[in-house]
Amino acid sequence: MLRFGILGAGRIGNVHARAIASSGRATVGYIADAMPDAAEKLAAVVGAKTASVEDIIASSDIDAILIATPTDTHADLIEQAARAGKAILCEKPVSLSVERIKACLQVVEKAGVPLMIGFHRRYDPNFAALEKRLRSGEIGDPEIITITCRDPSAPPVSYIERSGGLYRDMMIHDFDMARFLLGDEEPATVHALGGVLTDPEIGKAGDIDTASVQMQTASGRIVVITNSRRATYGHDQRIEVHGSKGLLRAANIHDTTVELANDAGWMQDKIPFSFVERYQAAYTAEIHKFLDFLEKGEAPRASGHDGLMAQKLAEAASESLKTGQVISVK
Amino acid sequence: MLRFGILGAGRIGNVHARAIASSGRATVGYIADAMPDAAEKLAAVVGAKTASVEDIIASSDIDAILIATPTDTHADLIEQAARAGKAILCEKPVSLSVERIKACLQVVEKAGVPLMIGFHRRYDPNFAALEKRLRSGEIGDPEIITITCRDPSAPPVSYIERSGGLYRDMMIHDFDMARFLLGDEEPATVHALGGVLTDPEIGKAGDIDTASVQMQTASGRIVVITNSRRATYGHDQRIEVHGSKGLLRAANIHDTTVELANDAGWMQDKIPFSFVERYQAAYTAEIHKFLDFLEKGEAPRASGHDGLMAQKLAEAASESLKTGQVISVK
Amino acid sequence: MLRFGILGAGRIGNVHARAIASSGRATVGYIADAMPDAAEKLAAVVGAKTASVEDIIASSDIDAILIATPTDTHADLIEQAARAGKAILCEKPVSLSVERIKACLQVVEKAGVPLMIGFHRRYDPNFAALEKRLRSGEIGDPEIITITCRDPSAPPVSYIERSGGLYRDMMIHDFDMARFLLGDEEPATVHALGGVLTDPEIGKAGDIDTASVQMQTASGRIVVITNSRRATYGHDQRIEVHGSKGLLRAANIHDTTVELANDAGWMQDKIPFSFVERYQAAYTAEIHKFLDFLEKGEAPRASGHDGLMAQKLAEAASESLKTGQVISVK
Amino acid sequence: MLRFGILGAGRIGNVHARAIASSGRATVGYIADAMPDAAEKLAAVVGAKTASVEDIIASSDIDAILIATPTDTHADLIEQAARAGKAILCEKPVSLSVERIKACLQVVEKAGVPLMIGFHRRYDPNFAALEKRLRSGEIGDPEIITITCRDPSAPPVSYIERSGGLYRDMMIHDFDMARFLLGDEEPATVHALGGVLTDPEIGKAGDIDTASVQMQTASGRIVVITNSRRATYGHDQRIEVHGSKGLLRAANIHDTTVELANDAGWMQDKIPFSFVERYQAAYTAEIHKFLDFLEKGEAPRASGHDGLMAQKLAEAASESLKTGQVISVK
């Protein structure tokens, strides 16, 4: 069975490590984290050992490196792992800098190692099913794509300060989803709006908490994305595609199918508040798709190129917000 | 335009009179009620005059008689109207006695006048659409029919005492709906359950407030009906047919399509608490169908025979409750 | 009862005339149309007479003028009716020119007559209920407003050529809905996208058929609107408001509540394909609100000022599409 | 970690073995099956060895026995495992004979070993959540319980012939669910209907394929159950409780949240056709609850007594069908 080395034992490192351990197709060999306690705790859960980042990357016992460290280390670690000949599954984003991503991808290409980017939503069973039906022509060509993403609450301001801003940190997933749904056409223009409506501290940190973007392709297709850092009703995740022959949409997942009726109305259950819970099936599917990539040679659903392109859109949106102008994407 | 005489200016008389007045195809000529104030008030609303029951039935200005008086007067009034050569639209039931209904229908037949029974649910756009699709073969043959009917609250005990009991007063509509959905096969056996769960006063009055009935046809088709006199969430009205090729169901109508999401869940709007509001479209359609019956010769959707057959099932259910036995219906 | 003169006996004139005739609170006195047959046909339906536009406006038998003529006549007719001292209910838009609207409103103001603009969606029971709950504070302050509007099919190209373009002809309703939902804050910037995806003839006529707009208020609130001239699934009409304390949305209305389950899935009924059917309740409510305005002095839900402001947004969107720039609205 | 011996490597044995292997809290030590290939195949999947039933029950390496063999062996195996001092998780039913169950439970009691019955639906997250909210008093006291269970297709006639009939084989789960939802009151009377509507071969085998049961408790509460062996739309599994303060229901689970709209209507995705897929979460939760029972001393959600009581209701229903009478349950 394929052996993973996991770099980063934080929340997302935990999610991946557990998904690997219960996959039945791979094991976790080593775990590294700047906080040794975190690494040891996770190692105990998944039956792994702890080691330093360098030793893991160099280890001949390890076939693949999963990178779940802070964003600013991603590109360097990808390059180190690539040079060591390891297969790589890296959490988004490769880097906050488009130029840095390009350089990094060249190293990967030169090394000839497999690289997949952790855009987990592409593996969500609902979104994946929608995309498959879209590609099969069920609603003809996509014309208007609407993506709704709202988080229950914002991360700490200390995190936001180093996040690269909402477009790079949060909407990056929606940019990737837009490209996933568009298929073979890229957004050509980006116009972004942003406001500080949920917490003035976010504004003081130079970021926004409420945002929308509209993009258009060369042929005229439209993508609309809305984001908020605060939704009292949970982790709101919806996509909708209006096509020439119909409409496809994927609604939120509710905790249970239980419904209550009384004199106040008819109450459906809540939706998940945690992305871990919301995307549990997606994270599991992601690991399996990565293994299919390595073992069966199936193309990765999100490549390094996809990581680059989503970042370009995030850059364009950031530039649009700053200048108040519409930005062309090359 | 066809001219109606309305006997009874209570709640249901009001519903019908307004439906006639706004039909654009008929007018209300006269209204009678034991309480002159009620008759005059309604007459003012629909542009009619008041008169005695006898004068209305005898009047040459009147083409059709709508009977919305207390139940124990229905059969006599039908006979009087029939002998006077009037078309008749009578609220359910014709009588609480099956024998009395039979005698009454003979008078109608002899007089050769048109008679339609006010089973308004057959005209509800949702239920009518379901029945039409069922008849078209969309789900093959019906196999299990489930009818759910729950009232927001019970009528006064004084009313219940003279109502003939829940099966004759409330479930009668569900017996008729069962026959409407079954099509050409009649229920052959009836087993009824009943309990007093919402108000002990109803029990003291000799009636029940919570009930279910299961019936079977000769070929083995099953009908299940459940009733309650008290639903905190409104006037619950649903039908469902499991067939050999699929399932058809008609859900409740909500007041609006507005939905609220917050940390408690996702709340759809209420459903109507009043049957007048719930079945407004049905009552309007009923008048038009009665006019189509008179003017175009279309068969009435609910005939005197339908009134008789529903009453037989109510009798059988009452007998089943009393004896604890399964009752065969002839 | 208040007497209406109706100018224009086309589709929308028909809708209004019938709503007035069945309101029980007003009558249609006269109807004018450039095509005498159309006027006479409608007059027969609602019990009115035909006359010339000039005679109707001058008639002392008429209290209120309903303007449902082609767009380019609206402003002139409003002015004539105002000078004649009539109350006015005018279909949107007052004019395709913002300057012309301003001049017209001054005439109305000087004449001191009541004027209401026919933004019928404000009277839709679902949208009106949502707005009321929003204003009551149920979800706190609005932060992101999403408006979806898609027509089943485009009007004839001959109509489109004189329509002023999609933003002025179709999205004008959504601009008004945006302002209705925002409450006391106006959109400050507008960015519009448009494409020709459904019919190249529309492009040849100089218009678009697929469009989106995003707008922002001074405080940072965001509005996103998407339009298409072609939806295979009907007249898609939805609004959604993400607020500081929750989310409110109003979904589409389906023809019936009937649902079919078979091996293909679970099929809900269609939604209306005709705006007349979709907004029947809205048109009825609109007439009653106009009567409440005249008789009880209740403020009109859509004033001449609202007509002006929606037009300004449509202008800004048209300018944005032409220049590819973000437009500030003063 | 607790070590399981699994008796029976058929479909349900597979489900349980995989749930144990991926639980992280227990392992599968040995597997026995009358067909050695089946045992070996499953053993390979979950990392276990094969052995004979006798050796597994006698093995000191095994802590708990999971019984997933044919029904007529259950009671004997329970007794053998109990005498060997093993904890036992047995698939329903313990036996088709009430008397045999009683005798078997006495052996278990004497041996003092833990026994849990595999009524997996009690562990379904939706049904479990509904029951918890019901017990918390959210809708007051239960008054009418409606249970809908329809299988996509019937098992082979050869299986049906030995199954004990629909009530014992299929509706047994609904009888258990009824008791689960009723709480501390037992059904006192049972009336059953049954028909052969889907396949005459089932009738020739002496069984029915379409059935309903209504039951009542001493206090008057009502339970209605409907079953069919053939539903074109999948494994239909719904429960609904009408209570004194509201209504709780748990709807079907759809394969995805994807919805398609076109000119035919609005199509939700299918529901699972396989009980394994439908109840995957339930089977996982069941293993964890069994482990909680053994390790933490939590009461089992379905005890041997529950197995006995459900069987009594199935007996009563079978008797009711045969005699056409209402049967009292003692």
Side-chain angles (χ1 to χ4, degrees):
Chain A
M1 288 209 287
L2 197 123
R3 295 154 304 177
F4 273 88
I6 292 185
L7 312 184
R11 197 160 57 158
I12 192 69
N14 259 271
V15 170
H16 286 303
R18 288 163 196 263
I20 293 165
S22 66
S23 71
R25 295 173 61 188
T27 59
V28 181
Y30 295 100
I31 297 173
D33 196 283
M35 301 176 72
D37 279 5
E40 268 160 39
K41 201 170 161 188
L42 179 55
V45 170
V46 297
K49 296 174 186 165
T50 62
S52 72
V53 165
E54 290 68 30
D55 287 352
I56 292 176
I57 289 177
S59 168
S60 61
D61 285 352
I62 292 298
D63 307 299
I65 299 290
L66 190 148
I67 302 175
T69 51
T71 291
D72 53 10
T73 65
H74 289 183
D76 290 349
L77 292 174
I78 287 174
E79 291 179 353
Q80 291 174 37
R83 287 180 183 124
K86 306 299 190 202
I88 305 162
L89 173 49
C90 183
E91 262 306 299
K92 66 87 202 165
V94 174
S95 164
L96 295 180
S97 152
V98 165
E99 291 313 311
R100 185 69 191 86
I101 299 176
K102 285 180 180 169
C104 178
L105 293 184
Q106 284 182 337
V107 172
V108 172
E109 192 178 11
K110 202 170 164 189
V113 296
L115 168 66
M116 190 167 114
I117 304 298
F119 284 126
H120 60 284
R121 290 191 205 162
R122 289 191 180 215
Y123 308 96
D124 175 72
N126 306 290
F127 297 162
L130 187 152
E131 192 265 351
K132 193 176 174 188
R133 292 171 67 172
L134 175 60
R135 285 292 94 74
S136 78
E138 203 167 304
I139 58 164
D141 295 321
E143 296 178 349
I144 304 174
I145 295 173
T146 309
I147 301 175
T148 303
C149 175
R150 286 147 198 182
D151 283 346
S153 56
V157 169
S158 59
Y159 172 91
I160 284 179
E161 281 167 346
R162 279 168 295 180
S163 69
L166 181 144
Y167 301 116
R168 291 185 186 89
D169 180 58
M170 180 177 175
M171 201 181 279
I172 185 86
H173 288 291
D174 305 306
F175 289 125
D176 181 64
M177 183 53 64
R179 293 185 62 255
F180 184 51
L181 295 175
L182 277 172
D184 52 12
E185 213 186 4
E186 296 286 343
T189 62
V190 175
H191 177 248
L193 295 178
V196 181
L197 298 177
T198 76
D199 183 358
E201 293 303 314
I202 292 175
K204 287 181 195 162
D207 201 4
I208 53 174
D209 54 30
T210 306
S212 72
V213 158
Q214 61 184 0
M215 310 193 290
Q216 195 167 28
T217 68
S219 76
R221 290 171 186 170
I222 289 171
V223 176
V224 172
I225 302 169
T226 56
N227 277 185
S228 172
R229 286 286 196 187
R230 185 256 294 109
T232 61
Y233 48 91
H235 192 40
D236 190 4
Q237 301 282 292
R238 288 172 282 157
I239 59 177
E240 179 172 309
V241 185
H242 173 96
S244 52
K245 294 181 185 166
L247 177 144
L248 280 169
R249 61 180 174 183
N252 280 308
I253 298 168
H254 291 260
D255 285 353
T256 70
T257 64
V258 180
E259 189 178 11
L260 167 70
N262 59 28
D263 56 3
W266 294 66
M267 176 76 80
Q268 279 188 281
D269 207 351
K270 295 188 298 293
I271 62 173
F273 279 67
S274 141
F275 77 91
V276 176
E277 193 188 340
R278 167 63 182 82
Y279 283 113
Q280 189 173 313
Y283 284 113
T284 297
E286 187 180 18
I287 290 298
H288 282 278
K289 284 291 173 187
F290 183 63
L291 293 168
D292 291 345
F293 172 32
L294 301 188
E295 296 171 358
K296 306 180 187 171
E298 290 183 9
R301 203 173 285 174
S303 66
H305 177 71
D306 292 318
L308 173 64
M309 295 307 287
Q311 201 64 29
K312 278 191 180 180
L313 296 175
E315 289 290 302
S318 302
E319 179 73 7
S320 176
L321 181 71
K322 202 167 69 182
T323 62
Q325 299 299 311
V326 181
I327 306 298
S328 294
V329 187
K330 294 133 225 166
Chain B
M1 288 209 287
L2 197 124
R3 294 155 303 177
F4 273 89
I6 293 186
L7 312 184
R11 196 160 59 158
I12 192 67
N14 259 270
V15 169
H16 286 303
R18 288 162 196 263
I20 292 166
S22 66
S23 70
R25 294 172 63 187
T27 58
V28 180
Y30 295 100
I31 298 174
D33 197 282
M35 302 175 72
D37 279 4
E40 268 160 39
K41 202 169 160 189
L42 179 55
V45 170
V46 297
K49 296 173 186 165
T50 61
S52 71
V53 166
E54 290 69 29
D55 288 350
I56 293 176
I57 289 177
S59 167
S60 60
D61 286 352
I62 291 299
D63 307 299
I65 300 292
L66 190 148
I67 302 174
T69 50
T71 291
D72 53 9
T73 65
H74 288 184
D76 290 348
L77 292 174
I78 288 175
E79 291 179 353
Q80 292 174 34
R83 287 180 183 125
K86 306 300 190 202
I88 305 162
L89 174 49
C90 183
E91 263 306 300
K92 66 86 200 168
V94 174
S95 164
L96 295 180
S97 151
V98 165
E99 292 312 309
R100 183 70 190 85
I101 298 176
K102 284 180 182 172
C104 178
L105 294 184
Q106 283 182 336
V107 172
V108 172
E109 193 178 10
K110 201 170 163 189
V113 296
L115 168 66
M116 192 168 113
I117 304 298
F119 283 125
H120 61 284
R121 290 192 205 161
R122 289 192 179 214
Y123 307 96
D124 175 73
N126 307 289
F127 296 162
L130 187 153
E131 192 265 353
K132 193 176 172 188
R133 293 171 66 173
L134 175 61
R135 285 292 95 75
S136 78
E138 203 167 300
I139 59 164
D141 294 321
E143 295 178 349
I144 304 174
I145 295 173
T146 309
I147 301 174
T148 303
C149 174
R150 287 147 197 181
D151 283 344
S153 56
V157 168
S158 59
Y159 172 92
I160 284 179
E161 283 168 344
R162 280 169 296 179
S163 70
L166 182 144
Y167 301 115
R168 291 185 187 89
D169 180 59
M170 179 177 175
M171 200 182 279
I172 186 87
H173 287 291
D174 305 305
F175 289 125
D176 182 64
M177 181 54 64
R179 294 185 63 254
F180 184 51
L181 296 173
L182 278 171
D184 52 12
E185 212 185 6
E186 298 285 341
T189 62
V190 175
H191 178 247
L193 295 178
V196 181
L197 298 177
T198 77
D199 184 357
E201 294 303 314
I202 293 174
K204 287 181 195 163
D207 202 4
I208 53 174
D209 54 32
T210 305
S212 72
V213 157
Q214 61 184 1
M215 309 193 291
Q216 194 167 28
T217 68
S219 75
R221 291 171 185 168
I222 289 170
V223 176
V224 172
I225 302 169
T226 56
N227 278 185
S228 173
R229 286 285 195 187
R230 185 256 295 109
T232 61
Y233 47 92
H235 192 41
D236 190 2
Q237 300 283 293
R238 288 172 281 158
I239 59 177
E240 178 172 310
V241 184
H242 173 96
S244 51
K245 295 181 184 167
L247 177 144
L248 280 169
R249 61 180 174 184
N252 281 308
I253 298 168
H254 291 260
D255 286 353
T256 70
T257 65
V258 180
E259 191 179 9
L260 165 70
N262 59 28
D263 56 3
W266 295 65
M267 177 75 81
Q268 280 187 280
D269 207 351
K270 295 188 298 296
I271 62 173
F273 279 67
S274 141
F275 76 90
V276 176
E277 193 186 341
R278 168 63 183 82
Y279 283 112
Q280 189 173 314
Y283 284 114
T284 298
E286 187 181 17
I287 291 298
H288 283 277
K289 284 292 174 187
F290 183 63
L291 293 169
D292 291 345
F293 172 32
L294 301 189
E295 297 171 358
K296 306 179 187 171
E298 290 182 9
R301 204 172 285 175
S303 66
H305 178 71
D306 292 318
L308 173 66
M309 295 306 287
Q311 200 65 28
K312 277 190 181 182
L313 296 175
E315 290 290 302
S318 301
E319 179 74 8
S320 176
L321 181 71
K322 202 166 69 181
T323 63
Q325 298 300 312
V326 181
I327 306 298
S328 295
V329 187
K330 296 133 224 169
Chain C
M1 287 209 286
L2 197 124
R3 294 155 305 175
F4 273 89
I6 293 185
L7 312 184
R11 197 161 58 159
I12 192 70
N14 259 270
V15 170
H16 286 303
R18 288 162 197 265
I20 292 166
S22 66
S23 71
R25 294 173 62 187
T27 59
V28 181
Y30 294 101
I31 297 174
D33 196 282
M35 301 176 71
D37 279 5
E40 267 160 40
K41 202 170 160 188
L42 180 55
V45 170
V46 298
K49 296 174 185 165
T50 62
S52 71
V53 166
E54 291 68 30
D55 287 351
I56 292 177
I57 289 177
S59 167
S60 60
D61 286 352
I62 292 298
D63 307 300
I65 300 292
L66 190 148
I67 302 175
T69 51
T71 292
D72 53 11
T73 65
H74 288 184
D76 290 348
L77 292 174
I78 288 174
E79 291 179 354
Q80 291 174 35
R83 286 180 184 126
K86 308 298 191 203
I88 305 162
L89 174 49
C90 184
E91 261 306 300
K92 66 87 201 166
V94 173
S95 164
L96 295 179
S97 152
V98 165
E99 291 313 310
R100 184 70 190 87
I101 298 176
K102 284 181 181 169
C104 178
L105 294 184
Q106 284 181 337
V107 173
V108 172
E109 193 178 11
K110 202 169 162 190
V113 296
L115 168 66
M116 191 167 112
I117 305 298
F119 284 125
H120 61 284
R121 290 191 206 161
R122 289 191 180 214
Y123 308 96
D124 174 73
N126 306 289
F127 297 162
L130 187 152
E131 192 264 353
K132 193 176 172 188
R133 292 171 67 172
L134 175 61
R135 285 291 96 73
S136 79
E138 203 166 302
I139 59 163
D141 295 321
E143 295 178 349
I144 304 174
I145 294 172
T146 309
I147 301 173
T148 302
C149 175
R150 286 146 199 184
D151 283 347
S153 57
V157 169
S158 59
Y159 172 91
I160 284 179
E161 282 168 344
R162 280 169 294 179
S163 71
L166 182 144
Y167 301 117
R168 291 184 187 91
D169 180 59
M170 179 177 174
M171 201 181 279
I172 185 88
H173 288 291
D174 305 306
F175 289 126
D176 181 64
M177 183 53 65
R179 295 185 61 254
F180 184 51
L181 295 175
L182 278 171
D184 52 12
E185 213 186 3
E186 297 286 341
T189 63
V190 174
H191 177 247
L193 294 178
V196 181
L197 298 177
T198 76
D199 184 357
E201 294 303 313
I202 293 175
K204 288 180 194 162
D207 202 5
I208 52 174
D209 55 30
T210 306
S212 72
V213 158
Q214 61 184 0
M215 311 193 289
Q216 195 167 28
T217 67
S219 76
R221 290 171 186 170
I222 289 170
V223 177
V224 171
I225 302 169
T226 57
N227 278 185
S228 172
R229 286 285 195 187
R230 185 256 296 109
T232 61
Y233 47 91
H235 192 41
D236 190 2
Q237 301 281 293
R238 289 171 283 157
I239 58 177
E240 179 172 309
V241 184
H242 173 97
S244 51
K245 295 182 185 166
L247 177 144
L248 279 170
R249 61 180 176 184
N252 281 308
I253 298 168
H254 291 261
D255 286 353
T256 69
T257 64
V258 179
E259 190 178 11
L260 167 70
N262 58 28
D263 56 3
W266 294 66
M267 176 75 80
Q268 279 187 281
D269 207 349
K270 296 188 300 293
I271 62 173
F273 278 67
S274 141
F275 78 89
V276 176
E277 193 187 340
R278 168 62 182 84
Y279 283 113
Q280 189 173 314
Y283 284 114
T284 298
E286 188 180 16
I287 291 298
H288 281 278
K289 284 292 174 187
F290 182 63
L291 293 169
D292 291 345
F293 172 32
L294 301 189
E295 296 170 358
K296 305 180 186 172
E298 289 183 11
R301 205 174 282 175
S303 66
H305 178 71
D306 292 318
L308 173 65
M309 296 306 288
Q311 201 63 30
K312 278 190 179 180
L313 296 175
E315 289 290 303
S318 301
E319 179 74 8
S320 176
L321 181 71
K322 201 166 69 183
T323 63
Q325 299 300 310
V326 181
I327 306 298
S328 294
V329 187
K330 294 134 224 168
Chain D
M1 287 210 286
L2 197 122
R3 295 154 304 176
F4 273 89
I6 293 187
L7 312 185
R11 195 160 59 158
I12 192 68
N14 259 270
V15 170
H16 286 303
R18 287 162 196 265
I20 292 166
S22 66
S23 71
R25 294 172 62 187
T27 59
V28 180
Y30 296 101
I31 298 174
D33 196 282
M35 302 175 71
D37 279 5
E40 267 160 40
K41 200 170 162 190
L42 179 56
V45 171
V46 298
K49 296 173 186 165
T50 62
S52 71
V53 165
E54 291 67 31
D55 287 351
I56 292 177
I57 289 177
S59 167
S60 61
D61 285 352
I62 292 297
D63 307 300
I65 300 292
L66 190 148
I67 302 173
T69 50
T71 292
D72 54 9
T73 65
H74 288 185
D76 289 348
L77 293 173
I78 288 174
E79 291 179 354
Q80 291 173 35
R83 287 182 183 121
K86 307 299 191 203
I88 305 162
L89 173 50
C90 184
E91 261 305 300
K92 67 86 201 165
V94 174
S95 164
L96 295 179
S97 150
V98 165
E99 291 312 309
R100 184 69 191 86
I101 298 176
K102 285 180 181 171
C104 177
L105 294 184
Q106 283 183 337
V107 173
V108 172
E109 192 177 12
K110 201 170 163 190
V113 296
L115 168 66
M116 192 168 111
I117 305 299
F119 283 125
H120 60 285
R121 291 193 204 161
R122 290 191 180 214
Y123 307 96
D124 175 74
N126 307 289
F127 297 162
L130 187 151
E131 192 264 353
K132 193 176 172 188
R133 292 171 66 173
L134 175 60
R135 285 292 95 74
S136 78
E138 204 167 301
I139 58 163
D141 295 321
E143 296 177 348
I144 304 174
I145 294 173
T146 309
I147 301 174
T148 303
C149 175
R150 286 145 200 183
D151 282 347
S153 56
V157 169
S158 59
Y159 172 90
I160 284 179
E161 283 168 343
R162 279 169 297 178
S163 70
L166 183 144
Y167 301 115
R168 290 185 186 89
D169 180 60
M170 179 178 175
M171 200 181 279
I172 185 88
H173 287 290
D174 305 305
F175 290 124
D176 182 62
M177 182 54 65
R179 293 185 62 255
F180 185 50
L181 295 174
L182 278 172
D184 52 12
E185 212 186 3
E186 297 286 343
T189 63
V190 175
H191 177 247
L193 295 178
V196 182
L197 299 177
T198 77
D199 184 357
E201 293 304 313
I202 292 175
K204 287 180 195 163
D207 202 3
I208 52 174
D209 54 31
T210 305
S212 72
V213 158
Q214 61 185 0
M215 309 193 289
Q216 193 167 28
T217 67
S219 76
R221 290 170 185 169
I222 289 170
V223 176
V224 171
I225 302 170
T226 57
N227 277 186
S228 173
R229 285 286 195 187
R230 185 255 296 109
T232 62
Y233 48 91
H235 193 41
D236 190 3
Q237 300 282 291
R238 290 172 281 158
I239 58 176
E240 178 172 310
V241 184
H242 173 96
S244 51
K245 294 180 185 167
L247 177 144
L248 279 168
R249 61 179 175 185
N252 281 307
I253 298 168
H254 291 261
D255 286 353
T256 70
T257 65
V258 179
E259 190 179 8
L260 166 70
N262 59 28
D263 56 3
W266 295 65
M267 177 75 81
Q268 279 188 281
D269 207 350
K270 295 188 298 296
I271 61 173
F273 279 66
S274 140
F275 78 89
V276 176
E277 193 187 339
R278 167 63 182 83
Y279 283 113
Q280 189 173 313
Y283 284 113
T284 298
E286 187 180 17
I287 291 299
H288 282 277
K289 284 292 173 186
F290 182 62
L291 292 168
D292 291 345
F293 171 33
L294 302 189
E295 296 171 358
K296 305 179 187 171
E298 291 183 8
R301 204 173 283 174
S303 66
H305 177 69
D306 292 317
L308 173 65
M309 296 306 287
Q311 200 65 29
K312 278 190 181 181
L313 296 174
E315 290 290 302
S318 303
E319 179 74 8
S320 175
L321 181 71
K322 202 167 69 182
T323 62
Q325 299 299 311
V326 181
I327 306 298
S328 294
V329 188
K330 294 134 224 168

